[in-house]
Structure formats: C-alpha cells, structure tokens
Amino acid sequence: MNDFLEQCRQAVGAPHVITEPADMAGYLTDWRRRFTGRAQAVIRPSTTEEVAAIVRLCNEFRVPVVPQGGNTGLVLGSVPDESGQAIVLSLNRMNRIRAVDTINNTMTVEAGAILQQVQVAAADAGRLFPLSLAAEGSCTIGGNLATNAGGTAVLRYGNTRELCLGLEVVTAQGEIWNGLRGLRKDNTGYDLRDLYIGAEGTLGVITAAVMKLFPQPKVRLTAFAAMQSADDALQLLSLAQGKCGATLTGFELMSDFCLALVAKHFPQLKSPFPDRYPQYVLLELSDSESEEHANAMLEAVITAALEQEVIQDAVVASSIAQSKGLWNLREHIPLAQAEEGKNIKHDISVPISRIGDYIRMTDQRLQESFPGCRMVTFGHLGDGNLHYNVSAPENAADEDFIKRQPEVNKVVHDSVHEFTGSISAEHGLGALKRDEICRYKSDIEMGLMRALKQALDPKNIMNPGKVI
Amino acid sequence: MNDFLEQCRQAVGAPHVITEPADMAGYLTDWRRRFTGRAQAVIRPSTTEEVAAIVRLCNEFRVPVVPQGGNTGLVLGSVPDESGQAIVLSLNRMNRIRAVDTINNTMTVEAGAILQQVQVAAADAGRLFPLSLAAEGSCTIGGNLATNAGGTAVLRYGNTRELCLGLEVVTAQGEIWNGLRGLRKDNTGYDLRDLYIGAEGTLGVITAAVMKLFPQPKVRLTAFAAMQSADDALQLLSLAQGKCGATLTGFELMSDFCLALVAKHFPQLKSPFPDRYPQYVLLELSDSESEEHANAMLEAVITAALEQEVIQDAVVASSIAQSKGLWNLREHIPLAQAEEGKNIKHDISVPISRIGDYIRMTDQRLQESFPGCRMVTFGHLGDGNLHYNVSAPENAADEDFIKRQPEVNKVVHDSVHEFTGSISAEHGLGALKRDEICRYKSDIEMGLMRALKQALDPKNIMNPGKVI
C-alpha cells in the first residue's frame, strides 16, 4: 500500500488520482511529441484547497510536483522526467470563471480555464481579453501565466505578465497565498506576483488570477506591405507607431522565402502583389472609432511610406474575408514549413533596432558553417521577436541536418547573445533550454535565481529539472 | 581612525565621503520634514563599480546602507534611522543618460538622473517618456523605480514598473548584476527585474535602467465635467474608454469641497461652471492625429454623457492656456489643503468599481467617529487611486485632530482592507507604513516577503527597517 497515494486519494477523491498507464499517457508526452516522461500518478484537484492538500503531501513525502495546464508548452516544462518519482498535478478541473467586473475591467479566473474560454467570457461581457496565440483552444490561463506567454497582441497589450493584476498561489509548502487583488496600483512590498509569473511552476502552483480586460475595439483593419529589407520594415514600424499610436496592434514580418513556401504547399494562398520583394509586413489596426477612421489612418501611413520609399507596394483589406486571407498567409508559414520537411526552430528576441543587423550577420554565419541552409524567418517584429528557423539545404537529407541541431543552435544563440538578445523570447526554458541558458547568463544572475529557488522551494519539489 | 570610512574614501575619493554634520544635513531629513535621522557618512559614488565597492565594504563591516535618490519620498524610505550606524548612499552623481535608441524606443539611464532630465532627453529625441509626478524636478529615476512610482499617466502607460525593460543592480553582497536588456520579450528565468523594482532599496541598489519610450502625441486636449456622484464619474470613465481607447490618458476626480478650498485660497482659480455639483472630473486625451480629431472625440464623449445624464455640465479647453487652467484646479488642491491647515493624508486604492461604495462607507464611518471632519477626496480615479485626506472639523484645533491620526488611519485603512484595496497605492511602505502593513497582509504573504529578504540580503544591511 502506497501511503502517499492513499492520502492523495483521500484529499481529492480516488477517481482523480490516476495511476493507470493508459489513462496517464496523455499527460506524460509533450505537445510536439518529442519526449515521454513517467509519473507515479496524475492528480486532478478541483479546488485551491485540494491543490494545497496535495502539495502538502508532496512536501511531506518529498514527491516532485509537475504542475500542468493544457500541456501545450514547447520547451518540456509541463511533463515529468523519466524517473517516475513525480506526480503530474493537472489543473484542468479548476476551470471556473469566478468573477467578471466590467467597471474595474477585470476577471478572476481559475488556472485551468482554457484561454479561448477566457476570451469568450470577456467578449460575452462586452470586453476584450487580448491574449491570443496559436494554442488558444487548448492552453490554459495558468500555463500562460507560468510561462508569461506572448502571442500576437503583445505590441499593444504586453505579455501575459502585463495582463495580470493578482494571483492565488499554492506555495511549495502547500500554503495558500491569496494575492487576488484587482488593483491598478499597490505598492505594499515585494512583487510576489511577477516572481511566480514566468517561473514555470518551479516556485509554486498558480491556482487563480485576476486578469485585465479592455474595451472591445469597434473595428480591426489589416494591411500588407512589401519592402526591400528588414531595416525598411523597422522604418515602417516607426512611421506607423507615430501616426497610429496604440491603434497599431499587430506588426508581423515575413521574408519572401516564407511566402514562397506557403505558395508552394498551399497554392490557394497567394501573395497580394504581382511582383516579389525581399520582405513583407502584415499590419493590424484596432480602432475604437469607425471603419472609415481606421481606413483613413492606414491609408495615411501607407501613402507616407510609399512617398518616402520605405515600402514598394501595399494593400489594405477591404473586407473581413480579405483581412482573413492576409492573416492566412502569415499563419500558414509554420504549416508550409512543416510540409517542406523538418527544421531547427529558434524563438529569439533582440532589441528591435538591431533586428536587421542580427538577421544579416546570423544568416551569414550560418551560411559559412552550413552552406545552402535555408532561412525561414518571420515573427513579431514589433516586439523584436523572431521565429528564426533553419531548414536543410535543398538537396540535403533532413535527418543529417537535424543531427547538427546543437551546432546550429550554438551559432544562432551565440549571435543572439552578442546582440544582447534572448534565446527564449516567448516559450520559456523548461527542461529543454535549462542547460543552454547557463552559457549565456552571468554567474551572478544564475546565483540570484538559485537563491530565490532555494528560499521558496528549499526541498526542490516544485517542477524539478526545469528552468534552474 | 575609522578603517571602514578610510576604505570608502579610497574607493570613491575623499571628497565624496561626507561626514561634516552641516554637509550631511540635507540627506538626513525627509521631504516633508517630519523626521531627521543620523548617519556615519553620506557617500556619493559616481560609477556602478564604485557603488559595488562601497556595498562590499558595508557587507564586510556590516554597515547598513540607505540608498537615496532625490530624497522626495513620502514614507521615510530614503532617510536613515536614529542609530547613526548607517551610511546614506547617494546616487545623485550617477546621472548620465547612457543611450537613447529611437527605433527600439528605449533609453538607458543611470539611477541618479532627475526625472525631468529623463523627460527632456526623451523629448529631445522626439519621443515621450510618460512618467510624470509632482516631484519630477527633484526625484530621480532610481527612486521612481525603487518605489514603483505612479503619477498622472498611469491610466495609459502604467506605473514605473511597466515602463522598465531592464536593470543594473548592485546586490547586497556588492556584486553587479547587469540586466540592462532592452527586450520586449524575454522568458529566460525568474523576474529579478520586478523584484528589485518597488523593493525600496531593501534588496539591492538599482544603479541604471533601460526605460521604454513612446511616440510623442501630436496634441493633448483637456475637458472638465460636472456630475452628481463618484458612481457617475465611473460611468463616464467606461464611456470615455469605450470611445477613446488608449487616447484617454488622464481621468482625475475631485469633490466640490476640493474646488471650494481652491477657490477660497486661490481666488483667481475659478470653477468653469456657473453652478456647483458634488463631483468633477478632469479628462485628458493624448492624440496622435490632430486637434480636430481629438476635439471631435471628446465632444462625442461629452454629448453622449450629457444625453445619458451621466454628467450635468462640461467644458472642453479651447486653448493651451485654458487647458492649463483646468489642470491648475486639480494641481492646487494639495496647496489649498495645506493653506487650510494640517490634515491626515492617505494614499489608497480599491478596485475601480468599488470606489463609490468605498467613499460612501468610509465617509460615514469617519463621521461617526470624528463628527464634523472634512473630507478632501481627489485622485487618479482611472487607476482606482484616491488621495483620501481628512481635515479637522471647521471649528476644531488642527493639533488636537492630528493627535488622533492613528485612529483616523485605522478607520480608513480597515475600510480599504474590507474593500480589498491597498493602503499604499503609489508611495510605498518605507519606515512609515512598515508596521501598519502587518495588520493587513496575511502571515503567508509576510512570510514569503521575509524569505526573499533573507535570501537576497541575509545580513540585513540593505535599508534595514524599511518595508519589512
């Protein structure tokens, strides 16, 4: 008889302590299906008190806890290691919207709520919850907070951290910290909230949060522009921000090679331009006034950019269908890339002003070491965040190229470091980049991080082997 | 011979280790002149390395360090206690603007730079640095960061925390953490930045920061509206945010009694309305388009609010002078209040939706305990932050009333707590509210804060007696 699991069953009810391998399987393999870990059990509490009871037992029995939301992470942060010692603490039964306050512009949600469910609840109340990313139909708000998720609206609304006002957390000792404050201003001590956000479950378990809401924009308008270089795209960004202020909510860069891949694998998705150009940008405005107003604003940006020869061509979507078509070009890049074969992905950021130089320099370094490799470069230019992906040369075997991933990573990440950038802009460190980060962070920073981990989780039971 | 001070002299140069009482005096008394502490010396390093050298010596000799910027704080956070053991570490020689990047929209500034100097440097580069507060001519960016300062532009741009991308910090051990990243996205470990921000110098010394810049708005437009209640003001806020989005940058509430005090003590400052109303709001738009556009937007808000009877009267400033006049009404409230006599100040926040109820309930409780006391209530309604100040009854002696400050504080702060608010929205805890906060924060939260303090400053040399 396993005393630990028996007490867990008493705490949450036997049906919610899963130990059958077939039933556990979905919780043990990561989203990209690259790794499968092992666990003693998957435990699914339904209240904060139950989470606390389970963590207290883990603390007592020194059982590692792997908190898990939608398990859509990309850096092996939400699956256990191969030891079989850990439990997976699934938050997916804690999925209530506890409160919506349309005057305070906040909602209180439990960690296991699916992002899309949160977006819909906000919309039902006539408000916008702006966090939006590819996995929104599966990922949870708790996972978004634990990884400080980014997405497509960061330019205007910030990362998940900026969208959160307060947290409820179960500490590594199984105590409940109620920090569910819906305040815009509160200077009463250390910023515990932002310490738990982005800690990937290694300091405690986020069980609920107060998130910010915004007025819904009246109209969204999309445009697509063609230009000679990433530097010109940066000039367009400055110009658009100057004329549109916070109305500019999206600014996505993609290279000609990206669009060529989309056209090759999805022939129905065509570039809106008769000619080809080295780079393209998708712009999105979210306007609180009217379609006419948004249109006039966007036209003014494009006219000025054409006059100044910052761009060579542009279209403004004249219908929702056309706007969807332009977004489709951007959203099909990862799919087209997958059709083309395996590649080596990077989620990097650099200061926005250095993006042009970064791409030039790193492309060149890669060509020197891996002649003929093909660059699939696109991303959230407005945030300095690129998906800087590298495909095998045209006639090379994917498998041979993928074997050289550590070398490719090193060239790309060394270059990021030289440009004072980040080797994980959106995705976190998880188990995947935990060692890699030690190459780039100073001993002092690693030492500070270790001191915090030691202070809040001295027994190292919270998601061990991740982040630090 | 004091070995410690001698080594400090070697580290920063003898002229920058001040021990003469007359020369130290300005560093030892707080901004409101309520408290004077003592110190062994005031030390003024000019580089990060010098700061690190001094803190290493303090660590070795166990000398308390009180970091100080402009010394404009309101909660006794930047002056030493009466023991005379500490040094004041003045950052005011570290005042360089290290870099401005108009494409990345960032500037790198040293902690001792005066806020106004930072605003001007941004404007000279054609950009906006939006942090703005009453002490901006004296306070430093390091102090703003250490206290997570608020001010008048929080509604649109956030507190100082939201304006910062990266920090350089000297740790309590005298090591230099270079976290001067200018990245919009970086998910590579624990959020050290936000832990040092708002810690009031109790975890380390902020020596430099990368701050965000914004496009300069083309036009600022101000309006003034009159209404029956704070609840109506909230409705106006929702209406204005819905129609103006991020263009709405200011939303300040003030009661009729506030305006009456201004009129009494500054007769040249007149309400723009022929009649009197219970409450008034000053609205500010910052528009990236044109004066016509801003005007039309503001007129649309006001027309709708009048039609819906949310407000009873309104004026839109038609000139910069008129706009200045409206702001003058708001800005003279603290001055008029001081002319009227001493009062008991509170810097509180509650969820925006509960402000009306908070004011009603707390006013009533105060009247029960202190009959006839007069409420000077005004503040940043858009942030849920009120300066909720209490003056003596008309015919009572100020001194007698001020003696009852602890009782008044207790009524106000107990009420804040009941409304899940904050007893220090903008100003921090310092030494002034350090004990008070223990009444309201849970033991678990206090325990987490103590664990962090212990982890990063185990010898308790960083600004001891403040915050925790």
Side-chain angles (χ1 to χ4, degrees), chain B residues 242-258:
Chain B
K243 285 194 190 291
C244 306
T247 307
L248 182 72
T249 48
F251 199 91
E252 300 283 312
L253 177 79
M254 61 214 92
S255 69
D256 185 54
F257 183 64
C258 292

Side-chain angles (χ1 to χ4, degrees), chain A residues 101 104 147-148 177 181 185-188 190 202 289 293 297 349 352-353 385 422 424 426 441 445, chain B residues 101 104 147-148 177 181 185-188 190 202 289 293 297 349 352-353 422 424 426 441 445:
Chain A
D101 182 338
N104 198 39
T147 60
N148 186 28
W177 169 50
R181 298 168 195 136
K185 284 183 173 173
D186 177 24
N187 282 341
T188 56
Y190 303 146
T202 62
E289 297 179 56
H293 178 256
M297 209 176 219
S349 70
I352 299 170
S353 48
N385 176 200
S422 169
S424 190
E426 297 194 303
K441 281 202 194 284
E445 183 159 346
Chain B
D101 181 339
N104 198 40
T147 59
N148 186 28
W177 170 50
R181 297 167 197 137
K185 284 183 173 173
D186 176 24
N187 281 341
T188 55
Y190 302 147
T202 64
E289 297 179 55
H293 178 256
M297 210 176 218
S349 69
I352 298 170
S353 49
S422 169
S424 190
E426 296 195 304
K441 281 202 194 285
E445 183 159 346

